[in-house]
Amino acid sequence: MTLLLNATYEPLRVVQWQKAVTLLCQGKVEVLEFYDRDIRGVSISFKLPSVMRLLKVVKLKSNHRAVKFSRINIFTRDKYTCQYCCKRFRTEELTFDHVVPIAKGGTKTWENIVTACWRCNNKKSGRTPEEARMHLKKKPQKPRWNPTLTIMIGIRNAPESWRDYLYWHMELDSDE
């Protein structure tokens, strides 16, 4: 796998080594980092690229940068914390809750869905938080993070050569 960067050094995607070699042979990229492994052909041999940068800027469509509306992104936005009892849970202990239930005109949007533990979700049932006498930790809204920077979050075994390019806007782990 090779990390492909835009000409601006923003991470774009991870590509298979075959695609990386194709881009390199087409002269569309420069190699910034290499693995300690060689690619060998009948009459050619070179180091396997680890990180490559496109020579021309690729403009991304605005919808490419939009955070996808999904269960895992709802949990991530809410930091795996029930928005009613404010306790943090593992993924399998969580569900999502419609703040205004669908039966009462609620919609399936970022602004109407929150992370909830099973206990609080059952307690709230088909009611609004006010009707259930429950309070939201914070008002739900669409996340503003940049998905190109979240491609690899959670993968602790990313190659060392990628780290300078992936973690620009993330807090670094201490070595303690």
Side-chain angles (χ1 to χ4, degrees):
M1 302 298 258
T2 301
L3 178 63
L4 181 63
L5 307 175
N6 208 337
T8 58
Y9 290 87
E10 287 179 283
L12 285 178
R13 65 171 31 125
V14 176
V15 296
Q16 297 289 332
W17 70 268
Q18 296 92 332
K19 177 70 172 175
V21 170
T22 301
L23 290 169
L24 183 59
C25 291
Q26 291 173 337
K28 294 182 176 183
V29 294
E30 72 171 321
V31 179
L32 302 175
E33 305 281 344
F34 294 94
Y35 288 113
D36 289 333
R37 193 169 143 210
D38 290 337
I39 299 289
R40 298 181 192 277
V42 175
S43 61
I44 192 170
S45 175
F46 52 90
K47 291 274 187 207
L48 179 63
S50 171
V51 179
M52 297 187 323
R53 182 179 74 95
L54 291 170
L55 297 176
K56 292 184 179 178
V57 174
V58 173
K59 284 194 170 193
L60 300 175
K61 296 177 185 172
S62 60
N63 65 348
H64 177 76
R65 291 191 177 270
V67 180
K68 290 183 179 159
F69 184 65
S70 69
R71 181 182 216 86
I72 194 66
N73 284 340
I74 292 166
F75 293 168
T76 302
R77 177 199 64 188
D78 295 342
K79 298 180 178 143
Y80 295 84
T81 302
C82 175
Q83 297 301 291
Y84 296 107
C85 69
C86 302
K87 293 180 185 170
R88 191 173 166 100
F89 292 91
R90 295 189 325 254
T91 305
E92 58 271 14
E93 299 171 316
L94 292 171
T95 186
F96 63 84
D97 176 62
H98 293 82
V99 178
V100 176
I102 291 177
K104 296 188 179 207
T107 56
K108 222 178 240 193
T109 63
W110 284 107
E111 295 77 15
N112 191 49
I113 293 185
V114 296
T115 301
C117 67
W118 288 98
R119 189 177 143 272
C120 288
N121 197 15
N122 286 334
K123 179 181 173 185
K124 181 178 168 282
S125 193
R127 301 175 289 177
T128 65
E130 294 77 25
E131 291 168 341
R133 295 198 170 119
M134 298 172 76
H135 301 283
L136 282 170
K137 177 180 179 180
K138 64 180 180 185
K139 184 179 176 188
Q141 58 185 359
K142 184 174 181 175
R144 296 183 187 144
W145 70 73
N146 183 344
T148 59
L149 296 176
T150 59
I151 294 170
M152 301 305 297
I153 288 179
I155 299 179
R156 298 242 180 230
N157 297 327
E160 189 67 35
S161 59
W162 294 13
R163 297 189 187 239
D164 288 339
Y165 305 97
L166 285 179
Y167 301 113
W168 286 352
H169 302 290
M170 293 174 53
E171 186 175 326
L172 298 174
D173 291 336
S174 65
D175 291 333
E176 297 175 32

